[in-house]
Amino acid sequence: MRVRSFLFCVKLALCGPTVAGAHVSEQGFVLLLPTDVYMMAGVSVVALTVLALFAVPGRVVCRLFSVRKATFPSCALCRDMTSLAAFLAFAFALYLGLFGPRDPLSNLMPLGFWTVGWVVLISLSGFFGNLWAWLNPWTGMYRLLGRPQPLATLPDRLDLWPAIALLIGFGAFLLADIAPDDPTRLARFALAYWCLTMVGLLIFGPKWLKHCELGHGIFGAYGRLAPVRMRAPGGLGGPGWQILEPADLRLAGLFALILLGIGSFDGINETFWWLARIGVNPLEFPGRSAVVAPTVLGLIAAIAALVAIFALAVWLAVRISREEVSFMHAFGWLALSVLPIALVYHIAHYLTSFLVNIQYTLAALSDPFARGADLLGLQPFRVTTGFFNKITTVRAIWITQAGLVVLGHVWSILLAHRIAMDLFGSSRRAALATLPLSLFMIAYTFLGLWLLAAPKGA
């Protein structure tokens, strides 16, 4: 009864039901708003933040990322239980993917993977920590097997390179695969990945998850932004304080930049501008199979360009500071400051998709086999996209997206400044040294807002 009442309120808020035309992987819609005004206002806010850092005392910035030690109850058994529950949910989703309904919008395999996992859980990790440590479908099974002794040792020199390779491969699957939301195709990929990871875990032990498992890499990266850390040593502080802890961050920073590159190209890949670059008429899109090669090449080029430009900004920062600081150390540490941008753009980019697909997810949970069941008591229920038809709700969505992008860039600039204070000394010296990096972030603010507003096809 409560679920039905909640959904009734949601439907009223979304301006009534209409026929759905959404797709699991669609995110954009055309805006009829004065977006240039919003964009210039957003860029100005970020630019003023950069200027303010030359006048704000360093202790104020330090206070933003201050941390207080805290002790939280430890419950390894709880993590084992949630991991086993996640495994059972994963197995059920696999079954539905292989033998359930063929429509991606009625099947919990693509809806659970893309909407719940890729959109919701990753977004929440930036605020509540590494949720994958609780929800991955391997550790519970591994401990149920008695934590068998590793058969081999994973070389330390691998570091995060396997996870980086998997991240780029996942980005290519997300953007270039001909049918990433086809239930059977996705289920087969997910099953193969689960088996590969389980074999690696049995052979190399938990170290495999740290170096070679993509979920731990992505959720762990965004989890660094969370204000709270429950694992020992626990702490509670300003969002991003965990990035300030000493560690070997060279490849962690590169991983963060690749996350941002994939998210940015995900937006670029849909725009009329990009389609024109690869010779595709957005009004007569020939299908994903016709643009696989340009998409993969574009993704790789976008990542390479982002890493190169960021590296140049860090190199200039090191030269300007005239401090004896290793370029690789500065690059790895400062690169983590882009995580807030990557996180907020991830949320903003998928917001419209989430508003529609979460409704399909609820409907699929109530009727997982698409046979007319009503397990959650939702009927009568129809998915609505009516909120895209009113200027007031479209404006609210756009302002939310734009506000998130601006907030993320301000957050990143403050975090980069705080890191630079440890690298280069005083607050004023840090502001001067990171000026090239700040200019990069100002330009990226404009890019992020343009991507949200640009007409999209495909």
Side-chain angles (χ1 to χ4, degrees), residues 162-249:
I164 287 173
L166 283 172
L167 179 60
I168 296 173
F170 175 77
F173 175 74
L174 168 69
L175 301 176
D177 188 78
I178 58 174
D181 54 359
D182 176 74
T184 301
R185 187 177 182 84
L186 182 59
R188 289 172 178 168
F189 273 108
L191 178 59
Y193 181 71
W194 186 91
C195 292
L196 173 66
T197 302
M198 195 66 201
V199 170
L201 183 58
L202 293 173
I203 295 175
F204 297 103
K207 200 172 182 180
W208 177 268
L209 298 180
K210 179 181 178 181
H211 293 278
C212 306
E213 203 282 297
L214 184 56
H216 278 72
I218 296 177
F219 281 84
Y222 287 131
R224 291 175 181 266
L225 298 175
V228 61
R229 182 171 65 191
M230 300 185 66
R231 61 178 174 84
L236 180 65
W241 67 268
Q242 298 180 58
I243 292 175
L244 301 175
E245 295 185 323
D248 185 1
L249 303 172

Side-chain angles (χ1 to χ4, degrees), residues 111-199:
L111 288 169
F113 187 91
W114 294 118
T115 302
V116 178
W118 178 240
V119 176
V120 177
L121 293 181
I122 285 181
S123 299
L124 292 177
S125 282
F127 302 94
F128 299 104
N130 184 0
L131 300 179
W132 197 239
W134 295 78
L135 298 175
N136 77 83
W138 296 286
T139 54
M141 289 290 294
Y142 179 71
R143 287 172 181 165
L144 194 64
L145 294 173
R147 300 185 187 182
Q149 288 294 322
L151 301 176
T153 301
L154 202 64
D156 289 333
R157 63 178 178 272
L158 280 179
D159 204 343
L160 287 177
W161 285 116
I164 287 173
L166 283 172
L167 179 60
I168 296 173
F170 175 77
F173 175 74
L174 168 69
L175 301 176
D177 188 78
I178 58 174
D181 54 359
D182 176 74
T184 301
R185 187 177 182 84
L186 182 59
R188 289 172 178 168
F189 273 108
L191 178 59
Y193 181 71
W194 186 91
C195 292
L196 173 66
T197 302
M198 195 66 201
V199 170

Side-chain angles (χ1 to χ4, degrees), residues 386-409:
F387 44 89
F388 292 143
N389 300 329
K390 290 196 173 184
I391 191 69
T392 53
T393 49
V394 169
R395 180 182 288 111
I397 291 170
W398 160 252
I399 291 176
T400 300
Q401 292 174 309
L404 284 170
V405 170
V406 173
L407 176 64
H409 282 80

Side-chain angles (χ1 to χ4, degrees), residues 4 8 21 28 32 75 110 114 135 157 181 210 247 274 308 341 350 417 442:
R4 182 179 295 177
F8 177 73
L32 300 176
C75 184
W114 294 118
L135 298 175
R157 63 178 178 272
D181 54 359
K210 179 181 178 181
W274 171 255
I341 300 175
Y350 288 106
H417 183 79
I442 291 172

Side-chain angles (χ1 to χ4, degrees), residues 255-278:
F255 191 91
L257 283 173
I258 294 173
L259 274 175
L260 178 59
I262 291 173
S264 300
F265 187 72
D266 193 359
I268 293 172
N269 188 49
E270 300 170 343
T271 61
F272 284 11
W273 176 87
W274 171 255
L275 294 175
R277 301 287 80 72
I278 61 176

